[in-house]
Amino acid sequence: MNFTPHGKHLIAGNWVAGERRFHSEPAHGPAHEFSVGTPELVDLACKGAEEAYASYALTTREQRAVFLDTIADEIEARGAQITEIGCQETGLPEARLVGERGRTSAQLRLFARHIRAGDYLDRRHDEALPERQPLPRPDIRMLQRPIGPVAVFGASNFPLAFSTAGGDTAAALAAGCPVVVKGHSAHPGTGEIVAEAVLAAVVKTGMHAGVFSLIQGGKRDVGTSLVQHPLIRAVGFTGSLAGGRALFDLCASREQPIPFFGELGSVNPMFLLPAALKARGGEIARGWAGSLTLGAGQFCTNPGIAVVIAGPQADAFIEATSAALAPMGAQTMLTDGIAAAYRAGRDRVAGTKGVQEVLTSMCDLRHATPYLFATSGKEWLANEVLGEEVFGPLGLVVRVADAEEMMAIARSLQGQLTCTLHLDEADTALGQRLMPLLERKAGRVLANGFPTGVEVCDAMVHGGPYPASTNFGATSVGTLSIRRFLRPVSYQNMPLALLPGDLR
């Protein structure tokens, strides 16, 4: 069954059309017309969210869990339509969209199970000690409570898992916070049909209609008015460093500053230690080529840098990587703008002093082909530009003189989402020296694997020191992400009848 978008915004339960329109720019298939968001619509959505908060924050964990499960059910019920329009808008293959839809539903259900268990509340109780000397102690209880309406910005590279009903939205709704989503213009039709699924769940479970709104399109004034609206209490964002930093600064400059949880990407360096490189350099090269080109390299965990100690094994590794990348054809990128930025990043790397072209190709329009470059550790340390993310299938091998220069590379890194060690038992001593450095630099440290593919689970951290993310103590994936939208409240000598239900 084909899905034809109506192109309206969802504002607190109502589909609203705007005066101005924009057209989607699909990779293939028909373009559709959508209403352009405005600050006035932002205001209506935020007021609806604040009105909903009064009742939604008081729902039971079971009620919210049923709501999350129902959203997942409604998304799956629209599975074929979501896949069809998602593939058209993004150019992503059908298997990728089906898998991402499954991940989106699974993380909604994971949060439902998580809040049912109740551990996230971090409940604490210090009983009164009226006879304690020299002063008695009052009865004090503590509980995590929802912070209020949350703004979420959809991501360009994940039309489902990091967008309309993705991880930030699921975490906020699980916490008891209404959500206002700013949809990404790269996939507005996908956003619309997912919003329909959320609205269906709102109706089925009897939630306040203001608990979820979706605003499409619009220029900077829409994003600015959303993060600066006085009723918004936190922002979740996945996107570029430049865009995220601009929104972060707006959040900080408010009369009442609010937290901005931005996931901004990284180069995700890999360190190939000598014994592993000698024993299985070819295998690592082939694995890297697959990870580097997965989804046209449009993952925030794309491993763009490989650090190796110069020598015959390093040369063989570079040759093997080039051989693995060479047969890979052009892939469609998510938008024309992303494709243009990829070519600009390629030119920036190629034009840097001391960089050698290993594998070059031709890419134009909305297509991406892989590139491989090499440089020395000395040149890396002298050129900060080489540490900037290139969003696409571009790899850079850094040949270092010895273990000490490899350590220097690790020290020089900015904040990363991931760092990877490829090592064998004989590399343990060097690995032990690197680990204290890498765990300071990244939110996730891997051994003998590749960082693309972020497991949604209790122990996952998808974040890291700036500029990988704007809050090093938070994660945007996994059940710990719910803590971003909660705050601890202590209740002293409070009558039981006045306490939140989870403390009675």
Side-chain angles (χ1 to χ4, degrees):
M1 178 179 177
N2 293 330
F3 171 72
T4 301
H6 49 65
K8 298 178 181 179
H9 312 280
L10 177 60
I11 308 295
N14 298 309
W15 291 106
V16 179
E19 294 181 3
R20 294 186 297 123
R21 315 284 286 181
F22 73 97
H23 285 88
S24 61
E25 298 178 356
H28 57 83
H32 298 286
E33 202 174 54
F34 295 86
S35 295
V36 176
T38 64
E40 291 74 23
L41 289 172
V42 169
D43 183 58
L44 289 174
C46 292
K47 288 177 178 176
E50 178 67 17
E51 184 179 329
Y53 177 76
S55 59
Y56 190 63
L58 298 179
T59 55
T60 66
R61 288 179 282 120
E62 178 60 25
Q63 287 173 319
R64 294 198 304 280
V66 170
F67 179 38
L68 294 173
D69 282 336
T70 305
I71 295 173
D73 292 342
E74 293 294 332
I75 288 174
E76 291 300 330
R78 294 161 175 78
Q81 294 175 318
I82 290 172
T83 299
E84 179 187 37
I85 195 163
C87 290
Q88 291 176 356
E89 290 185 323
T90 66
L92 294 171
E94 180 178 344
R96 158 70 191 274
L97 265 296
V98 171
E100 191 180 331
R101 188 181 75 240
R103 169 178 167 163
T104 304
S105 299
Q107 64 191 6
L108 285 160
R109 294 189 172 107
L110 173 64
F111 275 114
R113 294 192 298 272
H114 185 66
I115 62 175
R116 281 187 173 108
D119 295 343
Y120 77 99
L121 294 168
D122 195 17
R123 286 173 282 205
R124 304 181 185 200
H125 184 198
D126 291 297
E127 295 183 358
L129 298 175
E131 307 302 325
R132 190 183 69 174
Q133 295 297 326
L135 294 173
R137 184 177 76 186
D139 182 271
I140 302 176
R141 303 169 191 248
M142 191 274 280
L143 184 72
Q144 299 284 342
R145 295 293 295 148
I147 59 175
V150 171
V152 171
F153 285 75
S156 63
N157 59 334
F158 280 87
L160 299 171
F162 278 93
S163 289
T164 310
D168 288 343
T169 298
L173 292 176
C177 299
V179 174
V180 178
V181 173
K182 168 66 173 67
H184 200 286
S185 57
H187 39 75
T190 310
E192 180 183 303
I193 193 170
V194 173
E196 288 188 347
V198 178
L199 179 59
V202 167
V203 173
K204 284 188 176 182
T205 58
M207 295 297 173
H208 190 291
V211 75
F212 177 86
S213 292
L214 170 69
I215 300 171
Q216 301 271 35
K219 301 298 182 182
R220 289 183 179 181
D221 59 340
V222 176
T224 298
S225 61
L226 182 55
V227 302
Q228 292 197 313
H229 197 285
L231 297 177
I232 292 296
R233 289 293 178 262
V235 178
F237 173 88
T238 299
S240 69
L241 174 59
R245 182 57 197 246
L247 293 174
F248 173 83
D249 290 344
L250 287 173
C251 288
S253 67
R254 287 173 38 138
E255 182 176 349
Q256 181 182 356
I258 58 173
F260 177 83
F261 298 104
E263 188 269 280
L264 310 179
S266 64
V267 296
N268 306 295
M270 306 187 306
F271 292 81
L272 282 62
L273 305 196
L277 184 62
K278 182 178 180 180
R280 46 194 174 85
E283 176 187 340
I284 297 171
R286 291 185 290 273
W288 184 31
S291 181
L292 189 65
T293 57
L294 185 66
Q298 298 169 116
F299 288 90
C300 47
T301 52
N302 178 28
I305 307 293
V307 184
V308 298
I309 295 177
Q313 282 79 34
D315 295 339
F317 169 76
I318 293 173
E319 291 177 7
T321 303
S322 180
L325 290 172
M328 297 185 178
Q331 298 181 72
T332 302
M333 301 200 86
L334 292 158
T335 68
D336 292 336
I338 289 174
Y342 174 58
R343 292 191 291 273
R346 170 203 63 191
D347 295 343
R348 183 182 73 239
V349 173
T352 302
K353 179 178 176 292
V355 171
Q356 168 197 356
E357 294 182 348
V358 178
L359 175 68
T360 60
S361 53
M362 293 293 293
C363 61
D364 58 8
L365 302 177
R366 198 163 162 172
H367 302 119
T369 50
Y371 289 83
L372 183 65
F373 298 91
T375 192
S376 67
K378 180 180 178 180
E379 295 294 347
W380 166 278
L381 293 169
N383 293 287
E384 290 186 5
V385 68
L386 295 178
E388 296 177 6
E389 181 183 24
V390 178
F391 195 60
L394 183 148
L396 175 64
V397 180
V398 181
R399 292 188 185 97
V400 297
D402 51 28
E404 293 306 318
E405 193 167 59
M406 183 176 278
M407 298 282 289
I409 297 293
R411 291 189 191 95
S412 75
L413 293 171
Q414 292 187 307
Q416 304 291 327
L417 294 171
T418 74
C419 288
T420 300
L421 284 170
H422 288 278
L423 74 168
D424 284 353
E425 186 175 353
D427 297 312
T428 299
L430 179 53
Q432 289 173 333
R433 294 179 65 197
L434 283 164
M435 275 300 293
L437 299 174
L438 300 185
E439 69 180 11
R440 288 191 66 188
K441 301 291 184 176
R444 177 164 57 115
V445 185
L446 297 79
N448 298 327
F450 299 94
T452 43
V454 182
E455 185 68 26
V456 181
C457 60
D458 291 325
M460 178 53 65
V461 172
H462 189 60
Y466 184 86
S469 65
T470 55
N471 191 309
F472 62 81
T475 174
S476 61
V477 176
T479 54
L480 187 62
S481 66
I482 192 175
R483 293 293 295 269
R484 297 172 298 167
F485 307 121
L486 297 165
R487 65 182 183 89
V489 179
S490 287
Y491 302 86
Q492 184 168 322
N493 291 335
M494 191 65 60
L496 286 177
L498 300 185
L499 287 171
D502 284 315
L503 272 181
R504 295 174 197 165

